[in-house]
Amino acid sequence: MSRSYGQYCGLARALDVVGDRWNLLIVRQLLIAPARYRELLDGLGGVATNLLTDRLRDLETAGVVERRLAEEGNAIAYALTPWGAELREPIESLVRWSTPLMMRGPDGDRFHAEWLVVALRALFTGKASAHRSTVGVAVDGRLLQLSATPSGVEVSLHDGRDLDAVVRAEAQIVLGLAAGELALNDTLGLVEIEGDAAAVQALFNHHRSSHASSDR
C-alpha cells in the first residue's frame, strides 16, 4: 500500500490495507454481490472515478479484491477474494455498533436501499425463527428478501421467488425492527404489511425477544 502506519500491530496492518477512505465501502458493495466498475460507481454514491480506480487497484494489489468475467457478456466484474470476504465479520460488527447513529434517519445523507442487505444481515446474525418464511422488505422502491429458518435469517435482494409477506417502511424503521429497538406494535401507521402478518410478527418479534434476552 502507498501509506503505512509502520506499526507491527494487527489493527495497524489491517488499516494499512482497508483504512483509506472508501475502501470499506467498496468491500460493503462487494459483500452484496460482485459488481462491474459502473455498478460500483453508482452504488457508492459520491466517489470520484479516479479515486475509485485507485482504491480498486490498491485492494487488488493487497489481495482483497479480484477481477473476474461478469456472468453476462465479456465485461470485467470485481469480487472479493476469500480473504477479502472475511471482512464481513468486522464490518457486520461495526454495523451493529452503529445502531444508535442510524435510528435518527438519513438526515440528508445519501441512501441506497441495497445497503440494507449488509446491514440487515448483520443485525440478524445469530438469530433464527421457528417460523419458516420469506418476507420482502420494500424501501425506496427496492425489494429485499429475508428468508427465515431455524438455522438463521438470510438477506438478499429479491430474486423473484414468491413471498409470504411484504413490509413497506422507511429505512430507519426497518433497521429499528431488525435491531430489536422497535416492536411492530411501536410502529403502527409507519409500517404497511401485505400478506401473512404472522410471518412478519414471527420474524421481527422473535428477533426482538432474542435481542432483549442477550442484553440481560
Side-chain angles (χ1 to χ4, degrees), residues 27-34 88 114-118 157:
V27 173
R28 177 199 65 197
Q29 292 303 115
L30 298 180
L31 284 171
I32 298 170
R88 180 181 293 278
E114 68 187 39
W115 298 342
L116 290 174
V117 172
V118 173
L157 297 173

Side-chain angles (χ1 to χ4, degrees), residues 138-183:
V139 178
D140 279 6
R142 293 299 301 272
L143 185 61
L144 284 62
Q145 66 188 34
L146 281 64
S147 299
T149 71
S151 60
V153 178
E154 288 296 322
V155 183
S156 63
L157 297 173
H158 184 225
D159 60 10
R161 75 181 65 181
D162 291 337
L163 300 170
D164 296 298
V166 175
V167 176
R168 289 185 171 82
E170 296 295 325
Q172 63 267 35
I173 301 299
V174 173
L175 289 169
L177 290 168
E181 299 295 331
L182 296 174

Side-chain angles (χ1 to χ4, degrees), residues 74-158:
N74 295 319
I76 295 296
Y78 292 90
L80 295 173
T81 65
W83 184 54
E86 291 178 12
L87 284 164
R88 180 181 293 278
E89 182 179 351
I91 286 174
E92 289 186 349
S93 293
L94 283 171
V95 168
R96 289 188 289 271
W97 180 80
S98 76
T99 297
L101 306 174
M102 296 297 290
M103 292 301 294
R104 64 175 180 259
D107 282 345
D109 287 345
R110 291 184 180 91
F111 170 69
H112 291 187
E114 68 187 39
W115 298 342
L116 290 174
V117 172
V118 173
L120 292 178
R121 177 166 175 161
L123 294 171
F124 277 99
T125 295
K127 311 303 177 185
S129 174
H131 188 111
R132 289 180 178 269
S133 62
T134 301
V135 173
V137 174
V139 178
D140 279 6
R142 293 299 301 272
L143 185 61
L144 284 62
Q145 66 188 34
L146 281 64
S147 299
T149 71
S151 60
V153 178
E154 288 296 322
V155 183
S156 63
L157 297 173
H158 184 225

Side-chain angles (χ1 to χ4, degrees), residues 15 17 26 50 55 63-64 72 78 93 113 118-119 124-125 144 157 181 204 215:
L15 291 173
V17 175
I26 292 170
N50 61 328
R55 294 294 187 258
V64 174
E72 298 179 1
Y78 292 90
S93 293
V118 173
F124 277 99
T125 295
L144 284 62
L157 297 173
E181 299 295 331
F204 287 112
D215 285 347

Side-chain angles (χ1 to χ4, degrees), residues 182-203:
L182 296 174
L184 282 168
N185 289 340
D186 300 330
T187 62
L188 296 178
L190 301 175
V191 173
E192 178 185 341
I193 299 174
E194 296 179 7
D196 184 2
V200 178
Q201 290 278 356
L203 178 68

